[in-house]
Amino acid sequence: MALFKKRTVGKPGEWYYCLEHQKVEEGPECPAKDRFGPYPSRKEAEHAMQTARERNLEWENDPRWHDTAGREPGRDDG
């Protein structure tokens, strides 16, 4: 049994945005559940939250995700 957890080592040039600390990191410093990335540049990682907002808005307005054609009225397939 290992006494210490193996720390994830990042690659130079991979940038992440840590959701918990709200900061940009080069290489993953925080657990995967707490970060977005990798991004190819620091600048792109700095705009991670804006990118996520834009993608969420696109998804919310995409008719392919809200298609009701072919379903029976009153039937819940979920």
Side-chain angles (χ1 to χ4, degrees):
M1 176 185 254
L3 296 175
F4 301 99
K5 288 185 177 182
K6 185 176 179 182
R7 185 176 169 106
T8 303
V9 178
K11 297 176 186 173
E14 283 187 339
W15 295 91
Y16 296 84
Y17 182 81
C18 176
L19 300 167
E20 185 174 330
H21 300 108
Q22 298 179 358
K23 69 175 186 126
V24 173
E25 313 171 334
E26 184 174 12
E29 294 176 22
C30 294
K33 68 180 181 69
D34 295 330
R35 67 177 190 252
F36 285 156
Y39 294 94
S41 70
R42 179 180 189 88
K43 186 173 185 170
E44 286 185 60
E46 288 171 352
H47 294 98
M49 295 305 294
Q50 178 63 31
T51 301
R53 279 190 292 274
E54 290 170 1
R55 289 178 180 167
N56 286 342
L57 188 59
E58 287 175 19
W59 177 81
E60 290 168 3
N61 294 309
D62 188 334
R64 294 176 296 176
W65 293 103
H66 301 287
D67 183 26
T68 57
R71 291 190 187 164
E72 294 177 28
R75 182 174 173 186
D76 182 14
D77 290 332

